[in-house]
Amino acid sequence: MKPCLSTPVAILAAGLLLLVGCGGEAGSGAGGVGGAAGVGGAAGVGGAAGVGGAAGVGGAAGVGGAGGVGGAAGVGGAAGIGGAAGVGGVGGATEIPVVGITLEPESVTLKPGSTEQLIATVDPKEATNKTVIWSSDDEEVATVSSSGLVRGVGAGSAVITVTTEDGDFTDTTAVSVDLP
């Protein structure tokens, strides 16, 4: 090992103290407090790293490497600060879009005051957002609840529509309300 020819330097950045100097080789070799460092090397406080290297404070990595502060990777790697992904790393969950909706039954005959439960099936079953909105085109004939329960109100005909929040897909049920 070469003798230390420079005075140790303390650098305070982002609340982290990094001492660089004696204790190892510098440049493309190894060196730094508690570690090894330089371009293509390994080190930082308590770790190992540099450009293309393996570490940062308490972690492992640099650009193209394996870690950051408390993490496991940097740019192009698999983690960031205390996390699981950096630029080019592991992404989040994929949304599955709605592609259609089916409403059953196709028609209903009711008396005033009686009810019928409609069943809406969102396609695909694995869709991320299965939220639907119910409506009646004539609430003096039939009303519908937010769960699809239709209630006969007065004599006549109405159309109950269900609409998906994702994609605005619709289907309908014809409702006839007859007087007793």
Side-chain angles (χ1 to χ4, degrees):
M1 176 184 280
K2 296 179 184 178
C4 181
L5 299 177
S6 64
T7 304
V9 177
I11 302 171
L12 182 60
L16 302 174
L17 178 62
L18 177 62
L19 299 176
V20 180
C22 295
E25 294 183 17
S28 62
V33 176
V39 176
V45 177
V51 176
V57 177
V63 177
V69 178
V75 177
I81 298 175
V87 177
V90 178
T94 301
E95 280 202 29
I96 300 172
V98 172
V99 297
I101 189 165
T102 304
L103 185 57
E104 294 179 10
E106 291 181 12
S107 64
V108 174
T109 301
L110 300 172
K111 303 285 184 203
S114 66
T115 61
E116 175 92 15
Q117 180 67 52
L118 302 182
I119 306 296
T121 304
V122 175
D123 187 35
K125 293 176 185 175
E126 301 81 16
T128 305
N129 182 357
K130 296 181 184 179
T131 304
V132 296
I133 298 115
W134 296 89
S135 63
S136 171
D137 73 339
D138 190 344
E139 292 191 347
E140 291 182 11
V141 174
T143 61
V144 62
S145 72
S146 61
S147 64
L149 183 66
V150 178
R151 179 176 301 279
V153 177
S157 297
V159 176
I160 302 299
T161 302
V162 63
T163 305
T164 62
E165 186 175 86
D166 177 13
D168 290 325
F169 294 95
T170 63
D171 199 2
T172 60
T173 292
V175 178
S176 295
V177 179
D178 298 330
L179 292 177

